[in-house]
Amino acid sequence: MLKEPLESALNEQINAELRAEYLYLSMAAYFEDEGLPGFASWMRAQSEEEHAHAMRIYDYVLDRDGRVRLEGIDAPQSSWESPQAAFKAAYDHEVMVTGLIDDLVALAREENDNATENMLQWFVAEQVEEEATAQGIIDKLRHVGDDGPGLLMIDQELGNRGAGTGSDENEATEQPE
């Protein structure tokens, strides 16, 4: 059974993951409007991944005989000055989520809840990947700028997310290696 401080903090994280889902879906709509379907597809997949993260914690809380409490989600930002600015916002958001996960791990240790700490280690590894991926895209965008053939090449590359490996949506249920 979860202790109240952890149950409350995990509920906050569920809601944070759902806000991330909403943010990335908004970014997908922005990219669609900008005529960048590959970027839009990548962000839509990212939105789905964030949903899977929320559900991973949701199920864990229920498995530990806790109660899930959902909150309202404010409207996310809906436009950015450039693709690079949108990915910078995504990167900044992932850095913030990493801090939230780190705080949860610290609380699990404080509460001596080894099961929760173990579950959260998946998220610790996932956040390293999330930040590195966003930073890699920012780096590419910085090299090509926001116009021209380079941007279209990145758009095509991002549209191939998951190609050849099935889909990224299953990653949220696998343990990192």
Side-chain angles (χ1 to χ4, degrees):
M1 179 172 231
L2 285 171
K3 294 179 183 172
E4 174 11 56
L6 264 174
E7 181 179 308
S8 179
L10 289 169
N11 271 293
E12 289 175 23
Q13 190 63 38
I14 291 167
N15 287 285
E17 298 291 343
L18 293 172
R19 283 189 296 277
E21 174 186 9
Y22 212 39
L23 173 64
Y24 290 131
L25 192 57
S26 182
M27 288 178 172
Y30 159 76
F31 283 121
E32 285 288 352
D33 191 53
E34 292 295 309
L36 295 167
F39 281 87
S41 176
W42 193 94
M43 284 296 180
R44 186 180 289 235
Q46 190 65 26
S47 175
E48 291 169 2
E49 188 174 297
E50 297 302 330
H51 179 81
H53 294 172
M55 294 310 297
R56 185 181 189 104
I57 299 169
Y58 178 103
D59 289 338
Y60 178 80
V61 169
L62 294 176
D63 287 347
R64 295 288 307 275
D65 201 29
R67 177 157 184 193
V68 172
R69 291 176 208 84
L70 300 177
E71 300 172 357
I73 299 175
D74 293 333
Q77 183 174 341
S78 60
S79 65
W80 290 264
E81 61 186 56
S82 67
Q84 188 172 353
F87 267 93
K88 175 69 168 89
Y91 173 80
D92 290 345
H93 184 80
E94 292 300 339
V95 168
M96 185 266 306
V97 170
T98 297
L100 295 174
I101 297 295
D102 289 345
D103 291 347
L104 275 170
V105 170
L107 180 58
R109 286 180 181 154
E110 182 181 311
E111 295 290 334
N112 197 30
D113 188 329
N114 295 323
T116 299
E117 182 180 352
N118 183 56
M119 182 275 297
L120 290 169
Q121 290 306 313
W122 182 90
F123 286 94
V124 171
E126 177 71 5
Q127 285 308 120
V128 170
E129 179 186 321
E130 298 280 11
E131 287 182 27
T133 300
Q135 185 61 58
I137 295 168
I138 291 168
D139 291 344
K140 287 179 183 181
L141 287 168
R142 189 171 22 90
H143 289 296
V144 304
D146 291 327
D147 296 310
L151 184 64
L152 295 178
M153 287 177 65
I154 295 171
D155 184 62
Q156 183 176 11
E157 176 186 336
L158 294 180
N160 291 330
R161 181 179 185 179
T165 60
S167 166
D168 288 334
E169 68 186 52
N170 293 329
E171 290 179 10
T173 59
E174 296 173 4
Q175 290 292 326
E177 296 178 11

